[in-house]
Amino acid sequence: EEIDKGLTEYFLTHSVLTRRDFEQLFTLTRATAGRYITRLAKEKKLCNISIPHNPIYEPMPGFYGKEKLTGNGYYNRMKTH
């Protein structure tokens, strides 16, 4: 999906994402960007690391280039997602 590819590229150089960043990255309205982010959070691809009224998102382990947790507590670098 285009969104997943774009976010993978984005997170290569950024550690966090805001709704406004998402809007600008994909040229979306505020409402559409919010719907996409809500869906990605429900799919456990993004995690809000801030407060609900000022969300700041980071990728969950295993998505958008963030290392995936293994059973032994170590991270493995993901080549896909």
Side-chain angles (χ1 to χ4, degrees), residues 36-51:
Y36 270 108
I37 290 172
T38 297
R39 180 178 60 105
L40 293 170
K42 284 182 181 178
E43 292 174 358
K44 306 243 187 264
K45 292 182 176 182
L46 291 177
C47 176
N48 180 10
I49 60 169
S50 187
I51 60 173

Side-chain angles (χ1 to χ4, degrees), residues 4 7-8 11 14-17 37-49 56-70 75-78 80-81:
D4 288 332
L7 288 175
T8 299
F11 282 117
H14 300 82
S15 59
V16 296
L17 172 82
I37 290 172
T38 297
R39 180 178 60 105
L40 293 170
K42 284 182 181 178
E43 292 174 358
K44 306 243 187 264
K45 292 182 176 182
L46 291 177
C47 176
N48 180 10
I49 60 169
I56 299 172
Y57 299 91
E58 69 177 10
M60 293 291 285
F63 292 95
Y64 309 125
K66 185 168 183 174
E67 297 171 343
K68 184 177 181 179
L69 282 173
T70 63
Y75 286 93
N76 285 335
R77 188 59 144 159
M78 293 296 293
T80 59
H81 289 296

